[in-house]
Amino acid sequence: MGVADLGLPVDVPSTALFTDHYELTMLQAALKAGTAERRGVFEVFTRRLPHGRRYGVVAGTGRVLDAVENFRFDAGVLGYLRERRIVDETTLQWLADYRFSGDIWGYPEGEVYFPGSPIMRVEGSFGECVLLETVILSILNHDSAIAAAASRMASAAGDRPLIEMGARRTHELAAVAASRAAYVGGFASTSDLAAGFRYNIPTVGTSAHAFTLLHDRERDAFQAQVDSLGRDTTLLVDTYDVTEAVRTAVEVAGPELGAVRIDSGDLLLVAHRVRQQLDELGAHDTKIVVTSDLDEYAIASLAAAPVDAYGVGTQLVTGSGHPTASMVYKLVARAESADPKAPLKPVAKKSSGGKTSVGGRKWAARRLDADGVAEAEVVGTGPVPARLAGRQLLVELVRGGEVVGREPLDAARDRHAAARAGLPLSATQLSRGEPVLPTEYVTEGSGN
């Protein structure tokens, strides 16, 4: 059974109602006006990165493909729309036969992006494309925010593995998506079994403070865990006195003890003390895992500490202060009639307050310098300049309504590692700054 066969882990008839009311009322009005079948191009992009971020990370693409496949108006959904009189019968009949039949192109999952990058391009009739706006943005905004935070944390952690453990800090379904996005961004494992089951992400976990408190003595708790899970388990040593707990842990498990976990206190100071104590007790190979409300800055501050792995929860699943990527879904081109051969006309919103957009069906490419390091994100309309033809970023995801771009999650994870490595070194700085690459626009006929 593949991931797509598992379905959503909640009792919903389809993804069709993961949308806003006005998507359906727009459809109804367009059907009545005779414009719903006009060919259109919608693009997903963000006008700016979250304050201080140097790059964004595309995540959730695979979930978008699943959502588009499952976007069906079955009898239950249609009954709800009819009962609440949300749309008229003509629209209901149209929805009953809904199957997305258009094309979707996008930055492959794990790729980095910048302001103005056409992260996803959805093409088809206005009616079929407009309905997908909310669910696409819901997935990409959430997952990309988590992946960006994960990427920053992975950069700060270096070669030390990161464990995602934020399920208890967010909605139960968001937790599964967050685990997936964190894995794309560079985390090695998760504590969430639902994420492990659905996406084959490695899962880890041993015990909490409650297990120690259950027993009459800390030694009894450690002995019970070692007897059950083996000497290479991870023992939690900060329930009472850390120094005494470390001594007891090594006495119970021996120098083969896998790891100790520290979840409170001055982690920098305590980690140094625990490492010295473990070495003095002969447990030279016992690792130290730290948790306790870590973010990328806390992880960076522990770079010189004898820490072997980090567990991150709250700050990860909330995007480390930026829980959305602020992506939008805008119509950028449309035909003037329902004739499939009618040419596309660029369209764009013009307004004050920084909410303007650039019209036209776009391509994107990343220009490299002489050393092969990225130096600009180039976005354009019309023909792609020959010098950039081999550096195009968008890939085909859906062709004629059929998914063609599904891939293993590890492919997205590997892609992100490579994409981040191809950016200037300043991309991984945690100090606040502008996007590490400028976005340059090339318009058709500009000669650029």
Side-chain angles (χ1 to χ4, degrees):
M1 179 182 291
V3 167
D5 299 321
L6 296 175
L8 293 169
V10 65
D11 185 18
V12 295
S14 73
T15 55
L17 292 186
F18 290 168
T19 191
D20 290 307
H21 185 120
Y22 80 167
E23 311 291 7
L24 298 188
T25 53
M26 279 194 288
L27 171 65
Q28 176 177 306
L31 287 171
K32 187 172 183 179
T35 54
E37 297 305 320
R38 286 186 176 184
R39 192 160 54 102
V41 179
F42 286 82
E43 288 177 353
V44 175
F45 63 93
T46 184
R47 297 183 176 94
R48 63 192 65 84
L49 297 179
H51 184 61
R53 296 287 169 90
R54 305 299 182 93
Y55 60 92
V57 181
V58 178
T61 308
R63 296 208 306 122
V64 167
L65 299 181
D66 293 342
V68 170
E69 280 190 330
N70 202 37
F71 205 90
R72 304 284 187 268
F73 292 84
D74 61 21
V77 171
L78 293 170
Y80 164 77
L81 297 176
R82 179 177 290 109
E83 177 186 349
R84 299 300 176 93
R85 298 183 179 180
I86 292 173
V87 290
D88 60 21
E89 279 299 322
T90 299
T91 306
L92 289 172
Q93 292 174 19
W94 191 94
L95 293 174
D97 296 326
Y98 181 87
R99 300 289 186 275
F100 180 72
S101 63
D103 302 325
I104 299 178
W105 289 69
Y107 280 39
E109 191 158 17
E111 184 58 83
V112 296
Y113 69 87
F114 300 91
S117 296
I119 296 162
M120 186 168 285
R121 190 175 72 218
V122 182
E123 305 182 34
S125 72
F126 175 85
E128 65 179 339
C129 293
V130 75
L131 295 182
L132 299 177
E133 175 180 7
T134 305
V135 69
I136 287 177
L137 288 180
S138 175
I139 293 171
L140 292 181
N141 269 316
H142 174 268
D143 289 22
S144 296
I146 305 304
S151 179
R152 284 163 61 85
M153 294 174 188
S155 292
D159 294 332
R160 299 170 179 177
L162 290 157
I163 307 163
E164 186 280 312
M165 47 196 304
R168 62 191 61 194
R169 303 302 188 200
T170 189
H171 186 280
E172 65 271 19
L173 300 184
V176 181
S179 295
R180 183 185 183 281
Y183 189 69
V184 170
F187 273 58
S189 57
T190 179
S191 66
D192 191 345
L193 288 175
F197 171 72
R198 184 167 173 79
Y199 297 116
N200 200 33
I201 299 170
T203 61
V204 296
T206 51
S207 67
H209 293 102
F211 186 75
T212 300
L213 296 170
L214 168 68
H215 294 80
D216 297 333
R217 299 183 304 163
E218 190 169 46
R219 177 181 294 274
D220 296 337
F222 288 173
Q223 189 66 62
Q225 184 174 327
V226 170
D227 289 347
S228 175
L229 302 178
R231 295 178 184 273
D232 62 346
T233 190
T234 299
L235 295 176
L236 181 58
V237 296
D238 72 329
T239 305
Y240 304 118
D241 179 83
V242 173
T243 301
E244 182 60 30
V246 170
R247 182 182 300 111
T248 302
V250 176
E251 288 176 357
V252 170
E256 300 85 8
L257 174 62
V260 295
R261 178 163 75 94
I262 307 167
D263 189 51
S264 59
D266 183 336
L267 297 178
L268 179 62
L269 176 63
V270 175
H272 277 287
R273 288 177 174 174
V274 168
R275 181 72 270 161
Q276 180 179 353
Q277 185 182 7
L278 287 170
D279 290 343
E280 290 173 350
L281 293 171
H284 302 286
D285 296 327
T286 299
K287 299 184 183 303
I288 297 175
V289 180
V290 296
T291 53
S292 185
D293 290 329
L294 299 177
D295 63 9
E296 59 265 49
Y297 301 102
I299 292 169
S301 73
L302 293 168
V307 172
D308 298 286
Y310 306 93
V312 188
T314 303
Q315 292 301 319
L316 175 69
V317 299
T318 57
S320 196
H322 298 288
T324 177
S326 298
M327 295 177 187
V328 295
Y329 182 97
K330 297 297 181 183
L331 182 67
V332 297
R334 53 90 173 172
E336 294 185 339
S337 74
D339 183 349
K341 297 181 180 179
L344 291 172
K345 173 185 177 181
V347 293
K349 175 182 178 180
K350 298 187 188 317
S351 67
S352 59
K355 285 195 170 184
T356 59
S357 56
V358 178
R361 181 180 185 273
K362 299 174 196 67
W363 50 263
R366 189 160 299 146
R367 191 173 70 239
L368 308 182
D369 64 15
D371 296 318
V373 177
E375 65 176 6
E377 193 87 338
V378 185
V379 177
T381 58
V384 181
R387 69 184 185 281
L388 296 174
R391 300 298 308 168
Q392 293 190 72
L393 292 164
L394 278 77
V395 299
E396 192 174 22
L397 300 171
V398 177
R399 181 193 310 137
E402 297 296 323
V403 173
V404 296
R406 188 173 279 115
E407 62 182 3
L409 192 58
D410 279 327
R413 175 182 166 85
D414 293 343
R415 178 181 297 111
H416 176 64
R420 189 176 63 200
L423 295 175
L425 288 176
S426 57
T428 58
Q429 292 179 344
L430 296 182
S431 57
R432 298 198 180 279
E434 297 300 314
V436 71
L437 296 187
T439 302
E440 300 177 359
Y441 288 96
V442 178
T443 58
E444 188 170 5
S446 66
N448 292 330

